[in-house]
Amino acid sequence: MPTDHACRAAAEQAARGLTPVRAVLVPADDGDPPPAEVMPVVLRNYLGGNARPPAPRVSAGRRPAPVGLATGAVVVRLCLDGLAAETAGALTAWHADLGRRLRELLTGPGSTGRQADAWQPLTDLQHRAHEVLTVMADPGRGGPAGPRLVAARFDLLEDAVSGVLRRMAVPPDTAAVCAGALAGAAGSLFGLARDAGAEGGRY
């Protein structure tokens, strides 16, 4: 079973990768417009009755808050669900619902760092990783898988996530980076390290 530290590190990696995607899905928060400047009566009388106060300054919109640790953990768990679905021959159903679930997670009020304690999502992630590892090691359920087959499954996961993100109108480069981060986060729970020198950062 992955350690608590490994699960937290994976969730943090996923949250960092998801933050640019959330910035695409959630419009910038412009906040309340600044109040109109009040012109003193003496100055208004001096300038004339038709004088108008200067237009309020328009402030730049604030970017959406970063994705929180709990959301990162939930999304890594979704990726592990995809691995389990691929092993069971049910990848199509998982893939069809992934876009809706990602959008709900990233645009909901609990997606940012200002959310409840991440302990439970991290615990759920740890247990799910153990379950998926058990499935992949079971000869009767699609395993045991050699290192090359395991790596190929994570590459397939990365491609699937990237495709879903692009269909959500996420720019291709942002989608590719996020998908790589999610696959890397999930793979780290199995002791896999991404080869930075390989094409596309594959395992």
Side-chain angles (χ1 to χ4, degrees), residues 28-195:
D29 181 9
D30 293 329
D32 296 329
E37 185 174 339
V38 177
M39 182 178 291
V41 175
V42 174
L43 181 58
R44 186 167 61 248
N45 290 339
Y46 175 78
L47 294 175
N50 294 327
R52 294 288 185 271
R57 293 183 297 272
V58 178
S59 60
R62 297 190 301 272
R63 300 307 300 164
V67 172
L69 182 64
T71 299
V74 173
V75 174
V76 175
R77 187 181 175 191
L78 276 179
C79 292
L80 296 180
D81 289 344
L83 290 174
E86 191 275 333
T87 303
L91 185 63
T92 300
W94 170 84
H95 187 263
D97 196 42
L98 182 60
R100 178 189 64 80
R101 299 181 71 180
L102 285 176
R103 187 177 295 277
E104 288 178 352
L105 285 168
L106 295 177
T107 61
S111 63
T112 68
R114 302 184 300 273
Q115 57 189 334
D117 187 4
W119 178 84
Q120 189 61 53
L122 288 171
T123 300
D124 293 341
L125 172 60
Q126 187 177 42
H127 289 308
R128 186 55 171 154
H130 178 69
E131 291 172 355
V132 173
L133 181 60
T134 301
V135 168
M136 294 176 66
D138 184 355
R141 302 176 68 178
R148 293 180 65 87
L149 179 55
V150 171
R153 283 173 170 166
F154 280 95
D155 289 341
L156 176 62
L157 171 68
E158 180 177 347
D159 290 341
V161 172
S162 181
V164 167
L165 292 174
R166 290 196 301 272
R167 286 197 296 276
M168 294 167 62
V170 176
D173 289 346
T174 302
V177 171
C178 178
L182 295 181
S188 69
L189 298 175
F190 294 80
L192 296 178
R194 296 179 66 82
D195 182 2

Side-chain angles (χ1 to χ4, degrees), residues 195-203:
D195 182 2
E199 182 179 356
R202 298 290 181 150
Y203 289 99

